[in-house]
Amino acid sequence: MSRPWAITTPIYYVNGLPHIGHTYSTVVADTMARYHRMAGEDVYFQTGMDEHGEKAETAAAENGETPEAYTTRIARTWQTTWDKLGISYDRFIRTTEPDHKIAVQRLAQAQWDAGQIEFREYEGLYCVGCERFLTERDMEDGLCKDHETAPDPRREANYFFKMSEHFAWLADLLEKQPDFIQPARYRNEVLAMIREGSGLDDLCISRPKERLSWGIELPFDPDYVCYVWFDALINYMTGCGYPDQPGWEERWQACEHLIGKDILKPHGVYWPTILHGAGLPLPKALHVHGHWQIADRKVSKSLGNLIDPLRIAERYGFETFRYFMLREMSFGLDGSFSEAVMVERVNAHLSNALGNLLSRTLNMTERYCEGVVPEPGEMGEPEAAVRTAAATAAAEVDRHVRAYESSQALEALFRLVDATNKYVDLREPWKAVKDPERAEEVRTTLYTCCQALRSIALLLAPFVPDAAATMLERLGIAGLAEQARLPADAAAWDTLEAGTATTKGDALFPRLELVADE
Ligand code: ME8
């Protein structure tokens, strides 16, 4: 049996539509999932919808629909979007599904049985945007920092998970297992959140049905539903098969969560303590990315500055957008989105550097070698250098992808593209071909280029799968990405068979033009 590996995106709220932020998380997870599959691991990739809570109930009412009809309609739109964009998820989970209800009730019961839950009066400031009570630190000038709206003062009797009892345990865990939250800056933020005096306390995990009926009923009190975050976080375990699927723990403990920094507190504090309180094992790690901004403001529903992935895909092609997001955002830090910068980067990297290498290699193979991979002669030092560059790229891409550093992984990959372009410039096969005595050198050069392009295409496959598949097809090795093992197969050399037919084809990445907004 191959090693289990699982990745989850946040489950997105049903009261909005996918924008660049959601698309980024989903694309990073998709890239990771594709890479780990190509590395021969037993991958499970989950995304989905967070469908309960006040936000969903209000949005349904505003649309004149029942919550069931509304959430089903919106969930379908999201799933269709991911399908159109070729996201390779294994499960699109909805928190209204029956197996999730079982998981939530079982976990809540486990906490109740362990004496972790208490009934109390509570008064606080609630942000419906965040679906949680805010602390001083979450606010600025009386407004929620994330949503820039005033929270509601609320007072009601509710069930509380004695979360604060677990802070010392969590601090200790983060000392012993510093990689549990990555990058390190977010681990440090979580440590600051649970420090004494930081204002974080026990967690309210219920809502009275008289105020909110759209949720999962608490198993120990039918007058209450689960608080939406408590319900939502458990989706990750539902997907891994908790509580009844045999062997769920194995997948669960290999599970990595990918989130944006806006939901660090629920994932970094609530979630591990909830699990600990219920006596359940923890997932493997939490990976936290920064936010996309436009003109220095976070892209978000409440601020209204969204980028629709389908519209961008229509204008520029999805793989170029995908490439840009993965390359431009340094994982963990914020990134700035602009169509103009995207067009510039895509033209420089994909159309010029990579597109050019592919088209001149295949053009010359057609013209000088009858359109087949030529039989190479003796390899010299320049050829050996390209081979070494491929092995280095394969090792570096592997290291960076496993650390979620897609930007550095792509940089490493493009060092191989650049090295190969330099190699062609050095060998100048267009000149060598004029001298019959250099015929073998021409064949060796083009063989080396085809071989390097094979490595490049395999390493690119998790990032831009369609373009990589086209590259392999043109090299006469269609479908290789489905059989190859990364990183070893991308470093392997002398694997192309002389005589294999290649195809020139059109420009793989036609130059993009900036489209003006109407
Ligand atoms: O918070 N830049 O759902 P949500 C990058 N349902 N990523 C962004 C982003 C931006 N500007 N804006 C959003 C929820 N995201 C809960 C999650 S999980 C158990 C429950 C991405 O629809 C990022 O992944 O508000 C962020 O964490 C997520 O969308 C929030 O999506």
Side-chain angles (χ1 to χ4, degrees):
M1 267 294 270
S2 55
R3 193 153 61 100
W5 188 84
I7 188 160
T8 61
T9 71
I11 45 169
Y12 306 114
Y13 284 130
V14 273
N15 68 323
L17 292 173
H19 61 60
I20 182 178
H22 310 116
T23 311
Y24 174 70
S25 305
T26 308
V27 159
V28 171
D30 182 64
T31 303
M32 297 297 146
R34 287 175 187 270
Y35 189 90
H36 285 262
R37 281 188 202 115
M38 285 182 78
E41 290 157 51
D42 176 19
V43 169
Y44 176 73
F45 165 23
Q46 174 168 303
T47 187
M49 302 308 296
D50 187 354
E51 303 193 1
H52 289 128
E54 273 183 65
K55 275 209 269 209
E57 197 175 59
T58 311
E62 280 168 7
N63 279 278
E65 284 173 279
T66 61
E68 287 84 353
Y70 172 76
T71 52
T72 300
R73 179 169 64 80
I74 303 288
R76 205 170 286 145
T77 309
W78 282 74
Q79 190 168 10
T80 309
T81 302
W82 301 144
D83 289 344
K84 280 187 186 151
L85 299 177
I87 303 299
S88 65
Y89 60 82
D90 295 297
R91 177 166 177 186
F92 181 87
I93 195 169
R94 298 180 55 194
T95 52
T96 45
E97 288 176 281
D99 63 341
H100 179 63
K101 182 177 166 190
I102 292 172
V104 170
Q105 293 189 328
R106 196 73 71 86
L107 201 148
Q109 189 67 46
Q111 284 218 331
W112 179 254
D113 294 345
Q116 292 289 319
I117 295 177
E118 233 171 51
F119 193 64
R120 297 182 200 156
E121 268 290 305
Y122 186 76
E123 192 167 2
L125 292 171
Y126 194 80
C127 171
V128 179
C130 295
E131 289 276 25
R132 62 183 174 86
F133 285 100
L134 302 183
T135 65
E136 290 278 304
R137 283 160 186 260
D138 299 319
M139 293 187 285
E140 203 167 79
D141 301 330
L143 302 181
C144 165
K145 277 189 195 162
D146 264 357
H147 295 91
E148 302 183 12
T149 50
D152 267 358
R154 285 189 182 176
R155 183 194 175 86
E156 61 193 22
N158 264 311
Y159 287 93
F160 281 79
F161 160 50
K162 295 188 237 166
M163 186 165 74
S164 55
E165 286 184 3
H166 302 272
F167 290 167
W169 163 82
L170 181 57
D172 191 50
L173 174 91
L174 294 176
E175 293 301 335
K176 289 194 183 125
Q177 271 188 62
D179 286 351
F180 185 67
I181 300 179
Q182 297 177 45
R185 53 177 17 224
Y186 295 110
R187 166 186 163 267
N188 297 337
E189 263 187 44
V190 167
L191 281 169
M193 288 177 198
I194 56 176
R195 240 194 338 249
E196 228 172 300
S198 64
L200 198 59
D201 201 347
D202 290 343
L203 181 69
C204 176
I205 59 150
S206 66
R207 292 293 177 266
K209 270 196 189 161
E210 61 196 33
R211 190 154 65 70
L212 175 74
S213 59
W214 184 236
I216 296 176
E217 194 177 285
L218 279 183
F220 44 83
D221 188 340
D223 290 336
Y224 281 82
V225 295
C226 274
Y227 163 48
V228 65
W229 265 109
F230 188 82
D231 159 352
L233 288 161
I234 297 168
N235 92 84
Y236 301 133
M237 288 187 88
T238 309
C240 287
Y242 171 81
D244 293 326
Q245 247 178 54
W248 67 266
E249 290 98 335
E250 214 190 347
R251 177 174 277 173
W252 175 239
Q253 287 173 76
C255 185
E256 305 192 7
H257 299 323
L258 172 72
I259 60 161
K261 65 179 186 181
D262 51 325
I263 51 177
L264 178 61
K265 187 182 286 177
H267 285 82
V269 182
Y270 303 175
W271 189 219
T273 55
I274 287 173
L275 290 167
H276 187 240
L280 290 164
L282 299 182
K284 188 159 155 226
L286 176 63
H287 298 270
V288 188
H289 64 71
H291 284 153
W292 283 100
Q293 303 188 322
I294 294 182
D296 291 339
R297 301 197 77 195
K298 183 192 167 197
V299 172
S300 79
K301 280 187 284 272
S302 43
L303 301 179
N305 54 350
L306 310 173
I307 302 283
D308 169 6
L310 292 177
R311 185 183 134 273
I312 289 277
E314 225 166 78
R315 281 187 170 187
Y316 303 104
F318 186 60
E319 293 222 325
T320 49
F321 180 47
R322 193 175 155 119
Y323 172 82
F324 176 73
M325 289 190 291
L326 293 167
R327 173 79 188 245
E328 192 71 8
M329 178 88 108
S330 195
F331 193 83
L333 304 177
D334 289 346
S336 172
F337 181 76
S338 111
E339 286 185 29
V341 176
M342 177 176 84
V343 166
E344 190 189 304
R345 296 276 194 280
V346 165
N347 285 343
H349 303 170
L350 298 180
S351 309
N352 292 355
L354 176 61
N356 209 8
L357 175 65
L358 182 72
S359 74
R360 59 182 177 157
T361 299
L362 295 176
N363 267 323
M364 288 190 284
T365 304
E366 181 167 293
R367 282 170 51 206
Y368 311 153
C369 309
E370 287 132 26
V372 298
V373 173
E375 181 74 49
E378 189 114 338
M379 300 260 170
E381 227 160 77
E383 286 74 27
V386 177
R387 178 185 184 152
T388 305
T392 306
E396 286 184 353
V397 168
D398 188 68
R399 181 163 57 83
H400 289 302
V401 167
R402 290 180 186 281
Y404 287 69
E405 294 162 349
S406 66
S407 175
Q408 290 93 322
L410 285 168
E411 275 170 32
L413 177 45
F414 273 77
R415 282 197 285 277
L416 172 59
V417 174
D418 293 343
T420 314
N421 266 324
K422 285 209 181 92
Y423 163 77
V424 191
D425 293 343
L426 175 86
R427 285 294 194 198
E428 298 181 309
W430 51 90
K431 281 192 188 156
V433 76
K434 293 184 184 139
D435 179 352
E437 288 196 359
R438 294 174 71 190
E440 183 180 311
E441 180 192 319
V442 172
R443 291 201 306 273
T444 307
T445 304
L446 291 173
Y447 183 90
T448 303
C449 291
C450 289
Q451 187 69 50
L453 281 165
R454 172 189 179 276
S455 299
I456 292 165
L458 288 179
L459 291 172
L460 260 184
F463 299 90
V464 283
D466 289 351
T470 307
M471 284 176 71
L472 292 170
E473 217 174 278
R474 291 185 186 178
L475 289 165
I477 39 179
L480 185 65
E482 282 81 64
Q483 299 143 30
R485 280 291 159 93
L486 290 181
D489 279 336
W493 214 249
D494 292 332
T495 51
L496 287 178
E497 253 178 69
T500 308
T502 61
T503 330
K504 206 168 66 169
D506 301 333
L508 184 60
F509 296 105
R511 282 186 71 78
L512 297 183
E513 296 289 339
L514 184 62
V515 179
D517 278 311
E518 298 88 43

